[in-house]
Amino acid sequence: MTAPIAIIMGSQSDWETMRHAAETLTALGVAHDARIVSAHRTPDRLYGFAKGAKAAGFKVIIAGAGGAAHLPGMTAALTELPVFGVPVESKALSGVDSLYSIVQMPAGIPVGTLAIGKAGAINAALLAASVLALGDDALAQRLSAWRSKQTAAIAERPEGTA
């Protein structure tokens, strides 16, 4: 069986951001498959992947893209699966261009859009895992433990105060 979550990105350079999604899913024990699928440079690969993703066993797609950022929207237009978009930080506009390109999808083609960069990649992984956890009690428990560990790591008072 295919991993339940696909992580796709437009280019190798996007891996610097998207690896955080992969690392988060690994920490949660969620299988995933990372691929380079460019909306601009490999449109046939994108079409084949998106049209076949559900039949291949994927449940959620995390799509990271920078600049014009067409990958999440084009993927969402070609599949019924939930697509979570991660705007990758760009050199020209620091990822704001990516954010606008992903978040401004027309009504009827939703893409859940997360924050720019690393935080967005981590949150996309957590959101995708939360969707899967609706039907997986063991995963739901691992997510709960993740949140508890995160909460416990926050000090009540700043260092150096009484």
Side-chain angles (χ1 to χ4, degrees):
M1 177 178 160
T2 300
I5 298 177
I7 300 171
I8 61 173
M9 64 213 79
S11 66
Q12 178 64 45
S13 63
D14 294 341
W15 182 242
E16 181 57 33
T17 296
M18 299 310 292
R19 71 180 177 82
H20 299 288
E23 291 167 359
T24 301
L25 292 170
T26 297
L28 290 169
V30 178
H32 53 279
D33 183 6
R35 302 177 183 202
I36 297 173
V37 182
S38 172
H40 299 112
R41 293 177 298 276
T42 64
D44 291 337
R45 186 185 305 170
L46 166 61
Y47 185 86
F49 168 78
K51 291 299 273 185
K54 188 174 184 180
F58 291 112
K59 305 289 185 212
V60 179
I61 298 170
I62 299 171
H70 289 101
L71 182 61
M74 288 298 300
T75 301
L78 295 167
T79 185
E80 297 172 5
L81 296 175
V83 176
F84 299 136
V86 177
V88 173
E89 190 171 344
S90 60
K91 291 178 183 163
L93 298 171
S94 303
V96 174
D97 50 343
S98 310
L99 174 66
Y100 285 159
S101 293
I102 298 170
V103 79
Q104 285 301 119
M105 289 299 297
I109 309 292
V111 173
T113 308
L114 286 298
I116 297 168
K118 178 181 177 180
I122 291 169
N123 284 340
L126 292 170
L127 189 58
S130 294
V131 169
L132 295 181
L134 292 171
D136 183 337
D137 290 337
L139 177 54
Q141 289 176 6
R142 292 193 305 273
L143 274 169
S144 179
W146 170 282
R147 287 178 179 229
S148 293
K149 183 179 175 183
Q150 181 176 312
T151 298
I154 304 300
E156 190 171 330
R157 298 188 188 279
E159 285 186 29
T161 64

